[in-house]
Amino acid sequence: MGITEIISNIRFLMLPVIIIIGVEFLLIALYYFYRKRQLDKKQIPIKKLILGAIFVGYIVFVLELTIIGRGTSHYMQMNLQPFSGYIDAWKKYSLRDLQNCLFNILMFVPLGILLPLLIAKFKEFKWLLLVVVGATVSIETYQTLTGAGIFELDDLMNNSLGGIFGYQLYRLAASITHNKKINMKSLIGNLAIPLLMGLIFLCMNIVYTQKEFGHLAINAYTKSNMSDVKVSTSLELSSAPTVAPVYKKIIKNEDVEDLLQQKLGLSQVNPQDDMDSGEILVEGKDGIPYTLTKNDAEGQWWLTDNNYTPEQTSVIVQEEKAKSLMDKLSILPQDAELTVQENGEFEWNLPDRPDLKRDYWTGDIELGLKQDGRVYSLAYSLHENQFIREVDILSPAEVYERIKNGEFPQIKYNALVQEEDLVIKKGDQIEIESIELSHMYDTKGFYQPIYNVSGKFNGNDWFTLIQASK
């Protein structure tokens, strides 16, 4: 889940929380209005009531995130590997995976702040830690027994860490309030957790930037226990040393708006209206509106007529117009293959050729033309693979040994396969039918060699992917 999705979900979940807190504040106001008439009766401090209202809202918010409306698809599933989330984030070098870990920490920070403010007993760390750990264990246990989620040791650790950090923030604020100044020793001590985590992430980034190539997502797996698991093959596997090429994905983000304006006469309706979604409204000299969608990270873009419905046209006549338009745009490599789709659109394709061991272009361009030769759709998805060098790779025999040792990821090969069906256990059988060299982009945009291993897993079709480079 990305930052945008998290913020969107929080906005949705905060609505009932705000309503509940609003009702509580209304009740507090009514309480104080009533108590003013009862002068002889002791009143609850307004500070306590406000903090209590916020605490109730916070508990509702946590329940929404962890329990309410979560479904039942993870019944009795557990992940007891410590730091698995951080390991996966490192192996994939994925900000998205790291966000999940950090979000679980932040979710329990308010608990560590609010409890000592509400109840004096929780100013003692041992009692606060007991409640924090008890709360996260209760949530994880409920999720496991109901199928609402997976019991993850990482969640237990991160939630507890968040509660401790919240308590440290409370201690720091209390120290500043009491002493009327900031004590450097207290400041560093109470910010130890974020400072330590920041230092660890900094070191990890330094190590990552020093590596020549990036990380492959397929390496984010836990080694399987292959005891009493039968692995077989009828293939004749070579053990001879071999090499394979590595490429670098080159993204050329041309100024698409200028290109479309110069070549097709399309201008941006509102130059300041460059939306976060990557969609831009442009129009031709005749006032026909188009939507330009850009994916700068991949160097892709799509142009679509907002009002046109495709219709059957003369392919022969349109083909000449299509070729002429591509020459005019000058965005097509010379060796692209032209095919005509069933819907009458034209596609220029450059197949992936990692065996070339030289720079090459790959991807496709799709074009749809109206009867008069004007564009109603244009999709650009080309990039260049720049040859870097050859690297030593595993032999097929070494790949087979990796399988026998359980050093491979179990991949969901179709939507019907359940996670529990992929767990390697005693008595399972794996038959290797093919081991083919392929390529995959890593986290730095390098096109690295991998092996696509396919066959049968307990009689069902199965495949896995293994990094080829040593």
Side-chain angles (χ1 to χ4, degrees):
M1 184 181 296
I3 288 290
T4 305
E5 294 171 277
I6 290 175
I7 293 174
S8 177
N9 287 342
I10 288 176
R11 285 177 178 172
F12 174 75
L13 296 175
M14 280 300 292
L15 180 59
V17 173
I18 292 171
I19 293 173
I20 289 172
I21 293 177
V23 170
E24 289 178 304
F25 280 3
L26 179 61
L27 292 175
I28 290 171
L30 292 173
Y31 167 80
Y32 261 80
F33 178 76
Y34 172 76
R35 284 298 183 184
K36 277 187 177 181
R37 297 186 173 185
Q38 308 292 325
L39 298 177
D40 58 327
K41 292 189 178 181
K42 187 177 179 181
Q43 294 184 357
I44 302 173
I46 185 68
K47 175 184 172 182
K48 288 277 187 181
L49 290 172
I50 292 175
L51 286 173
I54 294 173
F55 184 74
V56 170
Y58 163 71
I59 295 299
V60 171
F61 182 61
V62 171
L63 292 176
E64 285 182 309
L65 289 170
T66 59
I67 292 177
I68 300 172
R70 298 257 307 188
T72 58
S73 60
H74 301 286
Y75 181 68
M76 294 302 290
Q77 293 184 25
M78 304 179 75
N79 176 14
L80 301 180
Q81 182 187 2
F83 307 110
S84 60
Y86 295 97
I87 293 171
D88 284 353
W90 168 249
K91 288 182 176 180
K92 299 176 185 177
Y93 205 71
S94 167
L95 178 60
R96 180 179 293 247
D97 286 7
L98 183 60
Q99 284 171 0
N100 292 334
C101 298
L102 297 179
F103 184 72
N104 275 312
I105 293 175
L106 293 174
M107 184 170 64
F108 266 57
V109 169
L111 187 62
I113 297 173
L114 292 172
L115 279 179
L117 291 172
L118 282 168
I119 304 173
K121 187 174 184 178
F122 293 117
K123 293 180 180 180
E124 292 187 49
F125 177 70
K126 62 180 181 180
W127 296 115
L128 179 121
L129 182 62
L130 183 64
V131 170
V132 168
V133 173
T136 186
V137 168
S138 299
I139 291 172
E140 294 298 312
T141 302
Y142 174 86
Q143 289 180 345
T144 307
L145 295 178
T146 61
I150 301 172
F151 188 105
E152 296 195 71
L153 185 57
D154 257 23
D155 287 353
L156 179 59
M157 294 166 57
N158 289 329
N159 293 160
S160 300
L161 197 61
I164 295 170
F165 179 44
Y167 178 76
Q168 287 183 313
L169 290 178
Y170 158 76
R171 288 283 303 273
L172 177 61
S175 173
I176 294 172
T177 303
H178 181 264
N179 298 317
K180 307 299 182 183
K181 64 178 182 179
I182 299 176
N183 183 295
M184 190 56 63
K185 183 179 179 180
S186 174
L187 179 66
I188 295 174
N190 286 303
L191 294 180
I193 291 177
L195 289 174
L196 180 59
M197 293 185 70
L199 181 61
I200 292 172
F201 293 149
L202 176 62
C203 292
M204 290 171 65
N205 273 285
I206 291 173
V207 171
Y208 178 77
T209 54
Q210 295 301 311
K211 293 164 64 81
E212 180 182 9
F213 302 132
H215 297 172
L216 290 170
I218 56 175
N219 288 331
Y221 65 86
T222 303
K223 184 177 179 180
S224 299
N225 182 358
M226 302 298 284
S227 301
D228 298 315
V229 175
K230 183 181 178 182
V231 180
S232 61
T233 185
S234 59
L235 300 174
E236 294 184 8
L237 303 175
S238 170
S239 58
T242 185
V243 296
V246 174
Y247 298 86
K248 172 71 173 178
K249 187 176 187 178
I250 306 298
I251 302 296
K252 296 184 178 180
N253 287 315
E254 307 288 350
D255 197 334
V256 182
E257 294 92 325
D258 286 348
L259 173 69
L260 297 178
Q261 185 171 22
Q262 293 173 13
K263 304 296 185 179
L264 300 181
L266 300 177
S267 57
Q268 195 168 342
V269 174
N270 185 354
Q272 281 72 44
D273 190 20
D274 190 355
M275 297 178 286
D276 293 336
S277 62
E279 292 188 352
I280 302 170
L281 185 63
V282 296
E283 66 178 15
K285 295 178 180 178
D286 52 6
I288 296 177
Y290 292 82
T291 296
L292 174 63
T293 306
K294 298 167 62 179
N295 180 357
D296 290 334
E298 297 296 327
Q300 301 171 333
W301 51 270
W302 302 265
L303 179 70
T304 308
D305 187 325
N306 293 346
N307 302 325
Y308 184 75
T309 301
E311 56 188 36
Q312 197 66 36
T313 60
S314 172
V315 173
I316 297 176
V317 175
Q318 295 295 78
E319 184 173 334
E320 293 304 316
K321 293 179 180 179
K323 290 178 179 179
S324 176
L325 181 60
M326 284 296 106
D327 290 339
K328 182 179 179 181
L329 292 172
S330 301
I331 58 175
L332 187 67
Q334 292 182 351
D335 50 350
E337 300 174 2
L338 172 61
T339 57
V340 182
Q341 306 297 312
E342 291 184 1
N343 60 2
E345 294 185 355
F346 302 93
E347 180 183 47
W348 287 265
N349 182 263
L350 289 162
D352 190 24
R353 292 291 307 275
D355 56 309
L356 293 176
K357 299 180 183 179
R358 60 173 174 81
D359 299 354
Y360 70 95
W361 285 81
T362 184
D364 57 70
I365 295 178
E366 295 183 359
L367 173 67
L369 293 179
K370 303 177 184 179
Q371 287 278 10
D372 58 7
R374 290 181 299 174
V375 176
Y376 70 79
S377 70
L378 178 58
Y380 180 92
S381 183
L382 291 178
H383 68 267
E384 184 181 11
N385 279 341
Q386 185 182 81
F387 176 68
I388 303 300
R389 65 181 178 89
E390 290 185 315
V391 296
D392 294 327
I393 64 171
L394 301 171
S395 67
E398 290 174 310
V399 172
Y400 182 67
E401 288 301 314
R402 288 275 182 100
I403 299 293
K404 291 177 67 175
N405 293 332
E407 299 174 24
F408 62 93
Q410 277 285 62
I411 299 171
K412 287 188 70 171
Y413 44 86
N414 66 55
L416 299 177
V417 177
Q418 302 297 318
E419 293 289 344
E420 54 266 27
D421 297 332
L422 297 175
V423 177
I424 303 290
K425 54 188 178 296
K426 183 178 179 180
D428 284 343
Q429 296 183 1
I430 299 177
E431 183 182 357
I432 308 300
E433 296 178 345
S434 72
I435 301 177
E436 298 179 353
L437 188 64
S438 184
H439 277 72
M440 172 182 283
Y441 290 104
D442 67 20
T443 53
K444 288 186 177 181
F446 287 98
Y447 206 33
Q448 290 200 46
I450 64 168
Y451 278 106
N452 188 328
V453 183
S454 61
K456 299 290 185 181
F457 177 63
N458 294 333
N460 298 315
D461 290 335
W462 167 89
F463 81 98
T464 189
L465 303 172
I466 296 177
Q467 179 173 341
S469 58
K470 293 184 176 181

